[in-house]
Structures are given as C-alpha cells and as structure tokens.
Amino acid sequence: MVAVAAVTLSSGCADAPSTPAPSDREAEVAERGASVMPFDLERTTHQFTKTDTGGVQTVIADDPQDTAQITLIQQHLTAEVDRFRRGDFTDPARIHGNEMPGLETLRAHGGQITIDYENTRDGARATYITTGTELRNALHAWFDAQVSDHGPHATR
C-alpha cells in the first residue's frame, strides 16, 4: 500500500487520489493483529458504536460476497466473545498493549457485562451491555483506542 502511494505521488498525477501512509502505531497494531485475527485487515472493517449501555462491535467483510473472510470473522468473534465474557482480554492486549485504555477495568468486570453475539450476513456483531457507569466508560475508552489504533480498518 505504501509503495502504491509512493508511485502515485511520484508520478506527478495531481488528480490521483492519495492514500496516507499508516502511522508507526497503526503499522505495529496491524502486524500484531495479523497474529491474533485470522481474517485480512485489508479486506475487513471493524465498527465500534458506543451506546448508553455499552457498545456494539461489528466486524464485516468489505466485500459481502467474500465468504472466506466472513467465515473467519464469525469464527474469531465467536471465540473472542466467549473469552471476553470470562474477563479474558488477552488478545486485545497482545494487539494493542497492556496499557490499552479501558482494558484493566474490562478484565476485572467479573461478569458485570452482558455480551451478546450474532452472525450478520457480512460478518459478526458483539453487543456489550452494562448498567455500571465505570464499565460503560471503560468500554467506550476501549472502543476509542481500537478505532485510533486500527486507522483505516476501523470506524465509529
């Protein structure tokens, strides 16, 4: 992707769209993410939507016909939700680091977050629900950190 951007910029084509190079942090997160997430970040998008009671995390294949990516998303998110329900946030820590905002609080939730999982036609969705303000704020901080770290692979 960087090489394509460099060629486009050096060709002198003023009308050609440019793709910003990922930050060092985004590149590091993408590299670590590839060892944790089986799907291709370049072919998928994470969506993090904050709600009054927690939030919704959706991972979709950019091409809704890409059944291989959809299957990998569903398998991965199913396993992650199972771990998250137990307070095991090892995978996000491996990708984003142990100092990731919200992570310490989420690890200590002790079952105070309900996490519902569902397959979607183009991926999967996890809905996080809590009545606790501290946990909701931790989820929101965790969502913000993921959007920031994943750069173009994540949206709100």
Side-chain angles (χ1 to χ4, degrees):
M1 186 160 66
V2 174
V4 171
V7 169
T8 300
L9 290 174
S10 67
S11 69
C13 297
D15 295 332
S18 64
T19 303
S23 70
D24 289 343
R25 173 76 178 160
E26 288 171 15
E28 291 169 11
V29 166
E31 184 178 324
R32 289 190 302 260
S35 71
V36 173
M37 296 178 285
F39 48 85
D40 185 342
L41 282 178
E42 296 297 329
R43 295 167 54 193
T44 59
T45 301
H46 285 73
Q47 298 170 337
F48 297 93
T49 306
K50 296 184 236 180
T51 66
D52 291 340
T53 58
V56 179
Q57 174 186 7
T58 307
V59 184
I60 60 169
D62 295 337
D63 174 359
Q65 303 303 314
D66 191 342
T67 56
Q69 293 303 308
I70 294 168
T71 298
L72 292 169
I73 289 166
Q74 291 171 347
Q75 290 171 345
H76 176 71
L77 205 52
T78 296
E80 289 293 74
V81 165
D82 183 53
R83 285 188 281 275
F84 294 169
R85 286 176 178 148
R86 296 189 316 262
D88 180 353
F89 287 80
T90 302
D91 283 348
R94 285 177 48 205
I95 296 170
H96 302 273
N98 282 314
E99 302 303 316
M100 181 182 195
L103 193 59
E104 184 177 329
T105 301
L106 295 176
R107 285 178 161 163
H109 74 74
Q112 297 173 31
I113 302 172
T114 300
I115 308 172
D116 295 324
Y117 171 86
E118 65 181 300
N119 288 337
T120 63
R121 69 174 187 77
D122 53 358
R125 177 179 301 120
T127 302
Y128 302 80
I129 302 166
T130 184
T131 57
T133 302
E134 181 182 13
L135 284 173
R136 184 199 62 221
N137 292 343
L139 280 165
H140 289 181
W142 187 61
F143 275 20
D144 287 343
Q146 292 192 68
V147 170
S148 175
D149 280 355
H150 286 295
H153 303 119
T155 64
R156 284 184 166 66

